[in-house]
Amino acid sequence: MKTALITGASRGIGKATAEKFLAEGWRVKGTSTDGSGWKHERIEWTSLDLTDQKSIEQAALELATYSPFDVLINNAGIYDEDNDREGQPVSIAVLRRTLE
């Protein structure tokens, strides 16, 4: 069975992508910042917070012991709701954090 690794699979585009792979018979290894997510018989979760170096290192160690991945969908990202001011420019600090 083919396996996909999908970062940020707990919601939004990542969740929709994971659901599509699952519907086509794939196994999915999903990541979320706290390592939890929705339920499906062929999805497993790993904690990965891309703003935390220790979290990245721990996830890398865990994922290295997992079976090989056929596909990587690197979808993880953030949406800074505290700085969502419609019609206002985005600050460089917010943009930098989002891209990092």
Side-chain angles (χ1 to χ4, degrees):
M1 180 181 306
K2 291 184 178 181
T3 303
L5 169 58
I6 303 175
T7 64
S10 62
R11 61 185 179 173
I13 293 170
K15 181 178 181 185
T17 304
E19 289 172 333
K20 178 71 171 160
F21 275 89
L22 291 166
E24 294 184 11
W26 289 57
R27 250 181 358 153
V28 173
K29 183 70 164 174
T31 73
S32 66
T33 53
D34 67 1
S36 65
W38 43 277
K39 304 287 187 216
H40 189 282
E41 63 190 23
R42 289 190 319 276
I43 192 166
E44 294 179 27
W45 294 95
T46 294
S47 178
L48 175 60
D49 181 346
L50 292 174
T51 66
D52 179 347
Q53 185 63 35
K54 189 165 199 79
S55 174
I56 294 168
E57 292 168 3
Q58 289 174 330
L61 288 172
E62 180 182 334
L63 294 171
T65 65
Y66 205 74
S67 64
F69 298 104
D70 298 287
V71 168
L72 164 64
I73 307 293
N74 192 16
N75 169 72
I78 65 166
Y79 175 68
D80 192 344
E81 294 178 20
D82 293 336
N83 289 293
D84 184 9
R85 299 176 310 260
E86 189 171 327
Q88 300 296 313
V90 175
S91 75
I92 294 299
V94 170
L95 182 59
R96 180 170 284 124
R97 181 168 182 252
T98 300
L99 294 175
E100 287 176 352

